[in-house]
Amino acid sequence: MVKSKTEEEIELMRENGILVSKALAEVGKAVAPGVSTKELSRIAETFIRDNGAIPSSLGFEGFPAAICTSVNDVVVHGIPSDEPLKEGDIVTADITTLYKGYSGDSAYTFPVGEVSPETRRLLDVTKASLYKGIEAAVAGARVGDIGHAVQSYVESFGYSVVRELEGHGIGKGMHEDPGVPNFGLPGRGPKLIEGMTICIEPMVIAGGRSVYLDRNGWSVHSADRSNTAHYELTVVVRKGRAEQLSTFEFIEKDPAIKF
Ligand code: MG
């Protein structure tokens, strides 16, 4: 049974959503050729702790770092490393926080220096598919409406959505019911009710939809090693239009950040 949140709970989650959004922007300021993903994780962790929150990926089911950093063909759960990013790479930062007892969760794929037009298109389409999903997340609709909106948009560009991973409800827990797949049929799945808080997070592969698990036990790669992108926002379901609890505006309004 999925419960909606009280407005008091939503207010705490809104504060946390802003914190996560600003943490993503701090990472974005540092993304450049030559910078390691470990350095990006360190920047995010410092920002999160300085603002009174906990980076909740650290130790989650044994995950070894404060944030996930997924480069190029890594879809999700990339482990920060000392390897420097290269011009033309893309890197997704996926940040989860615990703040005043509630979880926050958002992700953004950044270009590293100049990227190819093909890569640019993958980023643009994946981000646009997230907003298509948010548009579908209104009270009275169903979870399948979100997945259908994301999938039909993504596939119209010849890309694939990952089916093994999905968005989720969020609250005190990082992952709550319902699961929010990036594929589906309109009118199917759990009903969306006002006050439900969910994370919508299209994970898109430029090539085919198959994925495999890295031998590190965490990182999920595209099977054909093509590039992948991933954008995630937390929203609260409302009548007429979902309300975003996290935002990309700290990234996209900052002239120092390449996005
Ligand atoms: Mg998530």
Side-chain angles (χ1 to χ4, degrees):
M1 175 66 191
V2 178
K3 289 210 300 267
S4 50
K5 303 291 187 289
T6 66
E7 290 304 322
E8 290 73 25
E9 289 180 293
I10 290 168
E11 178 52 33
L12 292 176
M13 293 182 69
R14 196 181 280 119
E15 286 178 36
N16 198 355
I18 297 297
L19 197 155
V20 172
S21 303
K22 288 181 174 172
L24 280 175
E26 290 302 308
V27 169
K29 281 180 205 166
V31 169
V35 173
S36 72
T37 47
K38 218 176 232 181
E39 175 66 5
L40 300 180
S41 181
R42 193 193 62 72
I43 288 166
E45 179 168 8
T46 301
F47 182 85
I48 291 163
R49 293 192 191 280
D50 284 352
N51 283 278
I54 292 167
S56 39
S57 292
L58 186 61
F60 182 78
E61 294 179 1
F63 189 76
I67 69 169
C68 298
T69 54
S70 303
V71 179
N72 296 342
D73 65 301
V74 178
V75 185
V76 290
H77 305 157
I79 299 173
S81 78
D82 289 318
E83 196 170 325
L85 293 165
K86 300 185 303 293
E87 180 95 17
D89 283 348
I90 48 176
V91 58
T92 302
D94 190 350
I95 300 185
T96 55
T97 51
L98 189 66
Y99 179 72
K100 296 184 181 174
Y102 287 84
S103 292
D105 188 1
S106 291
Y108 200 92
T109 304
F110 296 96
V112 181
E114 287 303 321
V115 298
S116 71
E118 295 74 29
T119 301
R120 179 76 261 161
R121 184 165 163 269
L122 175 68
L123 301 185
D124 292 344
V125 168
T126 305
K127 187 163 56 178
S129 77
L130 166 58
Y131 291 116
K132 297 279 179 195
I134 292 173
E135 274 172 34
V138 293
R142 292 187 179 265
V143 166
D145 293 310
I146 300 173
H148 179 73
V150 171
Q151 180 186 15
S152 55
Y153 185 76
V154 166
E155 291 182 351
S156 75
F157 291 87
Y159 300 145
S160 307
V161 292
V162 175
R163 302 192 186 203
E164 290 80 356
L165 301 150
E166 61 185 17
H168 48 89
I170 184 168
K172 287 186 173 150
M174 193 197 298
H175 297 140
E176 297 186 348
D177 287 337
V180 183
N182 294 303
F183 65 98
L185 295 171
R188 302 287 181 86
K191 199 168 203 172
L192 299 169
I193 53 175
E194 182 158 25
M196 270 174 68
T197 45
I198 57 174
C199 291
I200 303 176
E201 49 178 319
M203 290 158 259
V204 174
I205 301 177
R209 73 172 175 91
S210 300
V211 293
Y212 70 92
L213 185 64
D214 192 283
R215 62 184 170 198
N216 70 19
W218 279 104
S219 311
V220 176
H221 297 254
S222 61
D224 60 13
R225 309 302 297 265
S226 62
N227 269 346
T228 72
H230 174 207
Y231 293 83
E232 174 177 21
L233 288 169
T234 303
V235 304
V236 52
V237 173
R238 301 287 195 194
K239 292 193 185 84
R241 166 115 203 135
E243 175 195 342
Q244 283 182 221
L245 297 178
S246 58
T247 173
F248 297 145
E249 70 179 57
F250 299 109
I251 294 168
E252 296 175 356
K253 286 186 177 163
D254 187 332
I257 301 175
K258 201 166 164 48
F259 67 90

